[in-house]
Amino acid sequence: MSRTRSTATLALASVLVLSLSACAQSERENGGGAGGGGEGGGTFTFGAAGAPKVLDPFYATDGETFRVSRQMFQGLVGFKPGTAEVAPALATEWKPSADGLTWTFTLAEGVKFHDGTPFDADAVCKNFERMFGQTGPGATAAVSQYWTDNFGGFKDGKDPSLYKSCTVKDPKTVDVALTRVTSKFPALLGLPSFSMQSPTAMDQYKANEVKAQGEGFAFSEYAMKHPTGTGPFKFESYDQANGTITLARNDEFHGEKAKIAKLIFKIIPDESTRRQELQAGSIQGYDYPNPVDWQALEGEGNQVLIRPAFNLLYLGLNPKANPELKDLKVRQAIQYAINRDQIVKTQLPEGAKVATQFMPDTVAGYNSSLQPVPYDPEKAKQLLKEAGAENLTLNFWYPSEVTRPYMPAPQRLYEAMSTDLQKVGIKVKTTTKPWNGGYLDGVDAGQAGAFLLGWTGDYNTPDNFIGTFFGDTTNRFNTGMYPWGKQLSDDLKKADSIVDEGARSKAYEGLNKTIVEQYIPAVPISHSPPALVLGKGVAGVTPSPLTDEKFDQVTLPN
């Protein structure tokens, strides 16, 4: 989220920061430039749009952490390159019981974690019990958001959990039991958060040691210095001072070995600077090129790889920050005030579409009968008058120091929407904060009356979109403050548990209609095809709708 969701600022102890900076030496010695292709050597340096929050993917919520994690870790399942289709990974096959409550996984043979620990059924169960058994700050949505979004509660908590148990049948066979049938299993196990991590390393470096620190959290030594998976690359160093993360080829990898010896992520928040570094040859690729630059980049000999649009940009609304938003007419007025057609045409890349609901049209449960809400400023003014909100003031937030797949230029998108709102008489108070420097925390604390955010799908189920947004009444839209909030939450859970695929899709189609026509907790804006760019002669990267690109098969020009 990218996937984006509730996230706390990850405040690390100063001693940890110092030790991480000391790890930079090996990267400096290797240099950051490209080398020859082939398994023998070469370094691929990729320009990342932001710093990872934490390198233990279980605690992560941000796309930059997941980008790095995907190179080092594997889950029981993965996704077929270039698609959202579930594929084998550390499990070669799986099957559900007749009642759909127990899933049996057959594990790959001959797999070891980077520290030499065998990957087997015991390791799988230790991972699940570690996730389910979180305590203290770890057993909160602020720290373990992907678990709470997808599985629910924890072992010692009061909230119900989708997870029930993990049982070792033999070294290469494991049963995972659930408390209810769900459409998202086993696809959700392909998320980086649920990757398999070395039980030995997690114990040795106290992976579960999370402590509250100021407004955020301090994480363990494991989380930033010793992430240990089974993937084609292993962790070497994170030089925070210079903004580089260095991974080395895992020569013991059980599958096809990486074709490059080193993989470096260079953190460059500014998109224009990323382009300049590509032109200078100091990086060989970067994410989220500005759509206006695509043609020029290709003209320079680079490759612009366009991903399918499996995302959503929305204008979020929160009645906790502004009680006037509790009035449906006010929310309807905001919906009519936004000129989404113009925004798509002028602010987003070719291929972007106006959103009619809170999921893209490739997801089962998409309601094709819904039409875009028309731009109607006069109707917006009339609704504000009827609501007695002609003097409405919105504290409208947008993020800085970030580019997202659904939001290539946050400030320009904000300016377009802010102008539309002011045209119908809404007074706008501007607030901008860095993405990882107060924006996400402030939005999730309910400080923003209106805010720009979005979502890139983790896997292809309706629950991953509207279930993630509205399934919990304490979400970032504070739907629990509306009279329909709990009903929507209950209806989403019921829909997810429908076994028959056709009946489940119909239920979600109905919910999509109700959400955008009767509830309006936010305004869906658009779906955009994001891109990544590779330098001339770089090959071996398949663009993914999930931003699930792997770099192990990258080859470089000689």
Side-chain angles (χ1 to χ4, degrees):
M1 233 213 80
S2 117
R3 277 167 346 91
T4 53
R5 18 178 125 198
S6 177
T7 319
T9 302
L10 307 184
L12 298 175
S14 59
V15 64
L16 179 55
V17 174
L18 288 171
S19 64
L20 293 176
S21 298
C23 291
Q25 187 61 36
S26 60
E27 192 278 327
R28 287 194 291 266
E29 289 170 353
N30 278 293
E39 188 179 317
T43 297
F44 177 60
T45 303
F46 189 84
K53 288 268 191 126
V54 60
L55 294 178
D56 178 345
F58 177 68
Y59 295 128
T61 60
D62 62 298
E64 297 305 331
T65 294
F66 292 147
R67 188 198 311 282
V68 178
S69 298
R70 285 180 170 113
Q71 319 306 321
M72 297 188 290
F73 294 98
Q74 296 174 292
L76 291 181
V77 304
F79 299 99
K80 183 180 176 181
T83 76
E85 180 184 337
V86 178
L90 290 174
T92 56
E93 58 183 16
W94 50 88
K95 59 181 179 180
S97 57
D99 60 7
L101 294 175
T102 300
W103 288 75
T104 299
F105 293 87
T106 302
L107 307 180
E109 300 273 358
V111 180
K112 291 184 178 181
F113 292 98
H114 298 153
D115 61 357
T117 301
F119 169 74
D120 55 17
D122 184 60
V124 172
C125 286
K126 284 180 177 176
N127 269 267
F128 274 105
E129 291 305 313
R130 179 252 176 155
M131 294 185 280
F132 184 48
Q134 292 288 305
T135 58
T140 65
V143 174
S144 303
Q145 184 72 40
Y146 263 69
W147 180 272
T148 58
D149 277 354
N150 290 280
F151 284 98
F154 298 89
K155 186 175 183 179
D156 296 330
K158 296 179 181 179
D159 295 329
S161 177
L162 174 63
Y163 173 81
K164 182 179 180 180
S165 65
C166 180
T167 304
V168 175
K169 294 186 70 177
D170 62 53
K172 293 301 173 186
T173 312
V174 65
D175 281 348
V176 177
L178 308 176
T179 57
R180 64 176 177 85
V181 174
T182 176
S183 64
K184 57 192 175 188
F185 210 83
L188 66 85
L189 298 182
L191 303 185
S193 289
F194 308 130
S195 298
M196 295 291 103
Q197 306 192 54
S198 167
T200 304
M202 288 193 291
D203 287 346
Q204 182 177 353
Y205 299 108
K206 300 179 174 57
N208 292 345
E209 198 171 83
V210 183
K211 297 177 181 178
Q213 182 171 295
E215 295 183 357
F217 300 92
F219 287 79
S220 70
E221 189 179 8
Y222 175 85
M224 294 299 279
K225 289 183 66 178
H226 300 283
T228 309
T230 60
F233 293 99
K234 55 187 179 181
F235 180 75
E236 186 170 287
S237 67
Y238 181 7
D239 179 357
Q240 288 186 319
N242 290 305
T244 56
I245 300 157
T246 302
L247 309 182
R249 181 173 58 224
N250 174 18
D251 288 321
E252 305 301 320
F253 184 56
H254 58 97
E256 186 176 358
K257 307 293 189 295
K259 289 183 166 61
I260 49 175
K262 297 278 186 180
L263 171 59
I264 296 174
F265 293 97
K266 187 173 183 179
I267 300 161
I268 311 170
D270 181 67
E271 189 276 335
S272 61
T273 305
R274 294 198 294 276
R275 182 181 176 185
Q276 290 167 7
E277 295 223 19
L278 180 72
Q279 291 170 327
S282 55
I283 63 175
Q284 289 78 54
Y286 68 90
D287 215 345
Y288 313 133
N290 191 318
V292 302
D293 293 335
W294 288 5
Q295 186 173 355
L297 283 164
E298 290 181 325
E300 295 167 359
N302 302 298
Q303 308 160 73
V304 176
L305 307 183
I306 301 173
R307 302 174 174 110
F310 194 60
N311 57 37
L312 172 76
L313 168 67
Y314 59 76
L315 171 62
L317 303 172
N318 192 328
K320 179 182 177 182
N322 190 330
E324 289 188 271
L325 292 170
K326 290 181 182 179
D327 191 320
L328 175 62
K329 288 184 177 180
V330 172
R331 302 195 303 280
Q332 288 175 321
I334 292 170
Q335 193 176 42
Y336 283 112
I338 303 299
N339 190 343
R340 289 180 282 182
D341 276 322
Q342 184 69 9
I343 287 169
V344 166
K345 289 175 183 175
T346 62
Q347 304 297 329
L348 296 172
E350 184 178 350
K353 299 177 182 178
V354 171
T356 63
Q357 54 209 280
F358 290 89
M359 63 175 66
D361 60 8
T362 52
V363 179
Y366 179 87
N367 192 324
S368 58
S369 71
L370 294 175
Q371 298 300 310
V373 173
Y375 173 55
D376 193 337
E378 294 306 313
K379 189 167 186 175
K381 292 176 185 177
Q382 181 62 34
L383 285 164
L384 289 172
K385 184 176 181 179
E386 291 174 9
E390 291 172 288
N391 294 317
L392 175 67
T393 297
L394 271 183
N395 186 2
F396 189 177
W397 287 39
Y398 75 91
S400 63
E401 298 182 20
V402 73
T403 304
R404 303 308 305 144
Y406 46 81
M407 187 167 54
Q411 183 175 349
R412 291 205 296 267
L413 287 162
Y414 163 81
E415 289 169 349
M417 290 185 223
S418 177
T419 299
D420 287 343
L421 293 170
Q422 292 176 73
K423 284 180 180 177
V424 302
I426 297 173
K427 299 177 182 65
V428 175
K429 178 184 176 183
T430 303
T431 300
T432 183
K433 294 186 177 185
W435 181 256
N436 284 332
Y439 185 78
L440 291 174
D441 290 343
V443 165
D444 286 324
Q447 297 171 8
F451 54 92
L452 289 182
L453 264 179
W455 184 254
T456 296
D458 293 314
Y459 45 86
N460 195 0
T461 72
D463 177 79
N464 187 239
F465 283 87
I466 57 176
T468 297
F469 299 151
F470 312 120
D472 183 340
T473 57
T474 61
N475 51 57
R476 58 168 48 110
F477 314 97
N478 266 289
T479 52
M481 295 183 67
Y482 298 115
W484 45 261
K486 186 177 186 305
Q487 183 65 52
L488 175 58
S489 177
D490 291 344
D491 288 345
L492 286 165
K493 289 181 176 66
K494 289 177 185 175
D496 180 51
S497 295
I498 295 173
V499 177
D500 181 77
E501 187 174 348
R504 185 169 65 242
S505 292
K506 285 292 183 185
Y508 277 112
E509 288 175 20
L511 285 168
N512 275 318
K513 182 178 176 66
T514 299
I515 289 167
V516 298
E517 292 185 352
Q518 298 180 32
Y519 295 162
I520 315 178
V523 181
I525 302 295
S526 58
H527 310 289
S528 298
L532 71 160
V533 59
L534 300 176
K536 186 176 182 180
V538 177
V541 178
T542 301
S544 164
L546 310 175
T547 63
D548 184 36
E549 289 86 17
K550 306 295 197 308
F551 296 139
D552 55 299
Q553 296 305 301
V554 163
T555 57
L556 304 169
N558 291 318

